[in-house]
Amino acid sequence: MVAAARAAQPGWVALPLGVRLQMLRRFHELVYLRRAEIADLLTREVDKPAAEALSTEVAFVLDQVRFLIKAVPRLIRSPWFGSASLGLSRKRLRITHEPYGVVGIISPWNYPFMLACSRILPALATGNAVVFKPSELTPSIGELTHQLLLDAGVPGDVIGLVQGDGHVGATLAAAPVDKVFFTGSVASGRSVAMACATRLVPCGLELGGSDAAIVLADADLALAASGLAWGRFTNAGQSCVAPKRLFVEDAVYDAFLSALVGVVQKLRTGSGTDDATDAGAVIRPEFRAVLESQRDDAIARGARVVATAPASNANVFPPTVLVDVPSDSRALTEETFGPLMAVIRVRDADEAITRANASDFGLSASIWSRDVLRAGRLAERLECGTVAINDVLLTAGTPELPHGGVKHSGIGRAQGMEGLAECVRTKGIIADRLSSWRQGWWFGYSRAHRERVDAFLTLAHSTNVVARIAAIPNVLRMLFRPERPL
Ligand code: NAD
């Protein structure tokens, strides 16, 4: 499949950009028209309530395509421009953006439509061919995504679909692709990075998170409780950017906790097929067992459960709020990939920032405060890729914002101009406008030449205006150099 993609890619990139933009427009139309089918499949395969599938995955993909239709021409455009350097004043410069060639894209199951599209669409739009491996837990969404791309006009060999588990992912990462975009767990991402390092090809890694949320004393506590409950428990808590560690200022800790408990106790668990369900089941029973062991480890170390939503069936891990969680508990040191939330009391904003940063992860974060300017300043001190103020999760769904992490949460960025730029290599081109005129600094050295070069540096860089004017005759002699015809 990689070989077929390689053979097809030159034809794809040679098409006028307008053809690829037309593919994006058609894809946008198809996703909009078939949104109910996409949402139903997400419900069937991930147990995601249809409203959630529409408001997160489908909405993001539609917005992202709109963004790309404007952003790709802006990135690809490569006009000639001049240099600020005096020595290069005869030159014209240009930076072109060229596709890598064949890109391997390995996706997870938790937001299988949105996360696949957020990598595939920019890669295709910039002229790459793609070999796409969806998660083995969401093969039908993978298949539908692939079919929508074909229906939108992407040639079959330009977008390959390969189904299978981690072994197939590892095979793709080791195949002769030119770049790999991987989204998934830290452990799998590390092995992808090692496979890419062996062949010296780049990779983009979007990995796990243990995001902090900071609730400041001046926050609207009812809003924060409602928003953070949604952020943590939406998609049954299986979001990389869910707020997993909540740091709440002492002055409002009790009031916030009581508001949060009130929200959590009213959540309705059940099957995503029921429109009235807030949180469905985690995707596999073995993942529920991991959550149970993380919760029990925290309790064994002294944590307390202060709220759980009613569990409607045995498959559901009920949304659960933990307090008094010691820092060395697995619920804080590991990623909790399900509806388990830890609420931690802190003295003030400084302690919240210090504790938020005391993690191997650094994906995103949120700050809740009525003083948005102060929250913005605090955001700069957080070690992570994105920060939402008075909202959650959105940073991974805002097409203009680069999404990605620091530390173990990943390398590189998806989305935004930065994510788009990761789909292309730059090439710098410098051309001389005076095509039969030697450069002043080429061979034919002498003491006089050395003085002229020095005069050139004075003209270009001295702050002394008189010295700069005095340097001009020598500079002209260097530029014309009649006595040294080498
Ligand atoms: P996962 O690592 O188990 O699987 C992700 C994908 O990688 C799947 O397609 C899988 O088949 C494949 N894979 C597994 N082992 C591989 C290997 N050795 N080489 C190549 N491919 C391999 O992750 P998951 O359980 O599907 O997803 C959940 C994880 O993904 C969580 O940690 C979550 O935080 C993270 N995630 C991160 C982001 C982000 O944007 N940063 C988004 C969604 C999910």
Side-chain angles (χ1 to χ4, degrees):
M1 201 168 278
V2 170
R6 187 164 301 291
Q9 190 267 337
W12 177 238
V13 70
L15 291 172
L17 177 58
V19 175
R20 296 199 298 277
L21 296 182
Q22 189 52 32
M23 173 278 287
L24 288 178
R25 283 191 204 94
R26 178 90 184 108
F27 186 78
H28 182 270
E29 188 186 8
L30 288 172
V31 170
Y32 175 70
L33 292 175
R34 294 172 68 177
R35 61 194 184 283
E37 179 193 348
I38 297 167
D40 285 346
L41 194 52
L42 285 164
T43 303
R44 280 215 301 285
E45 214 157 46
V46 193
D47 205 29
K48 200 183 288 257
E52 216 169 85
L54 289 170
S55 68
T56 55
E57 304 219 33
V58 174
F60 169 76
V61 172
L62 290 171
D63 282 349
Q64 198 209 12
V65 179
R66 283 254 166 91
F67 168 77
L68 288 173
I69 289 169
K70 288 201 178 130
V72 174
R74 246 195 298 151
L75 178 83
I76 300 285
R77 212 186 49 211
S78 55
W80 290 99
F81 59 98
S83 170
S85 158
L86 182 63
L88 300 178
S89 48
R90 282 167 42 180
K91 307 290 185 186
R92 299 298 287 158
L93 313 177
R94 205 174 153 223
I95 303 166
T96 61
H97 298 87
E98 301 169 10
Y100 275 92
V102 181
V103 174
I105 294 180
I106 302 170
S107 289
W109 51 265
N110 60 334
Y111 288 87
F113 182 57
M114 153 177 172
L115 293 172
C117 289
S118 80
R119 286 306 202 176
I120 294 172
L121 295 172
L124 287 176
T126 46
N128 295 281
V130 167
V131 177
F132 163 46
K133 194 203 88 64
S135 166
E136 62 275 31
L137 303 188
T138 50
S140 311
I141 311 273
E143 181 112 34
L144 178 59
T145 308
H146 183 242
Q147 191 56 51
L148 287 165
L149 290 163
L150 296 178
D151 293 350
V154 183
D157 284 342
V158 171
I159 173 70
L161 171 72
V162 51
Q163 298 274 18
D165 62 8
H167 293 101
V168 178
T171 306
L172 178 55
V177 292
D178 302 299
K179 185 157 187 174
V180 179
F181 288 127
F182 173 86
T183 308
S185 62
V186 175
S188 312
R190 187 174 278 124
S191 59
V192 167
M194 283 159 70
C196 289
T198 307
R199 294 189 306 108
L200 281 180
V201 298
C203 59
L205 304 176
E206 296 291 335
L207 308 179
S210 183
D211 286 3
I214 297 177
V215 181
L216 297 175
D218 68 346
D220 179 326
L221 298 183
L223 177 94
S226 169
L228 287 167
W230 180 76
R232 183 63 193 103
F233 302 127
T234 188
N235 204 31
Q238 304 161 116
S239 307
C240 53
V241 288
K244 292 160 190 162
R245 300 174 297 139
L246 272 58
F247 299 98
V248 184
E249 268 196 280
D250 188 37
V252 292
Y253 178 88
D254 293 330
F256 170 78
L257 193 60
S258 128
L260 179 70
V261 167
V263 175
V264 173
Q265 284 171 341
K266 285 195 216 97
L267 292 177
R268 286 153 308 182
T269 62
S271 162
T273 52
D274 177 350
D275 276 336
T277 292
D278 295 312
V282 292
I283 195 164
R284 286 287 181 276
E286 56 270 30
F287 297 168
R288 204 178 59 232
V290 174
L291 285 166
E292 282 161 2
S293 73
Q294 289 170 323
R295 177 198 59 199
D296 295 346
D297 167 77
I299 292 170
R301 291 167 194 269
R304 287 180 299 124
V305 172
V306 289
T308 49
S312 52
N313 63 58
N315 291 329
V316 165
F317 182 95
T320 300
V321 180
L322 286 171
V323 296
D324 300 338
V325 188
S327 315
D328 57 355
S329 303
R330 288 174 52 207
L332 295 186
T333 58
E334 298 174 359
E335 180 180 38
T336 49
F337 211 59
L340 188 59
M341 170 189 260
V343 185
I344 299 145
R345 187 194 293 267
V346 289
R347 230 175 16 258
D348 53 22
D350 282 340
E351 187 188 349
I353 300 271
T354 305
R355 294 194 65 182
N357 288 343
S359 169
D360 286 340
F361 296 100
L363 193 51
S364 80
S366 63
I367 301 179
W368 301 77
S369 165
R370 286 194 172 89
D371 185 344
V372 174
L373 290 180
R374 176 174 178 236
R377 288 193 298 276
L378 292 172
E380 292 177 23
R381 293 168 55 195
L382 284 167
E383 294 167 2
C384 60
T386 49
V387 182
I389 297 172
N390 296 324
D391 212 330
V392 267
L393 301 193
L394 268 192
T395 50
T398 305
E400 292 81 3
L401 284 184
H403 162 67
V406 304
K407 301 192 255 187
H408 290 185
S409 291
I411 295 174
R413 294 293 179 260
Q415 295 179 191
M417 288 310 283
E418 291 75 6
L420 192 55
E422 296 214 1
C423 299
V424 291
R425 297 185 172 111
T426 57
K427 182 182 283 169
I429 300 174
I430 179 165
D432 204 302
R433 282 184 288 195
L434 306 176
S435 50
S436 44
W437 193 351
R438 279 182 211 86
Q439 299 294 347
W441 55 84
W442 287 357
F443 280 141
Y445 297 164
S446 65
R447 170 150 287 274
H449 176 62
R450 173 182 160 165
E451 283 161 11
R452 289 167 191 167
V453 171
D454 195 61
F456 184 86
L457 290 179
T458 299
L459 178 63
H461 297 288
S462 170
T463 51
N464 181 334
V465 179
V466 176
R468 287 171 68 188
I469 293 169
I472 290 174
N474 245 348
V475 170
L476 291 175
R477 270 179 227 115
M478 182 185 98
L479 292 178
F480 293 103
R481 303 178 67 189
E483 79 282 18
R484 288 178 305 108
L486 272 185

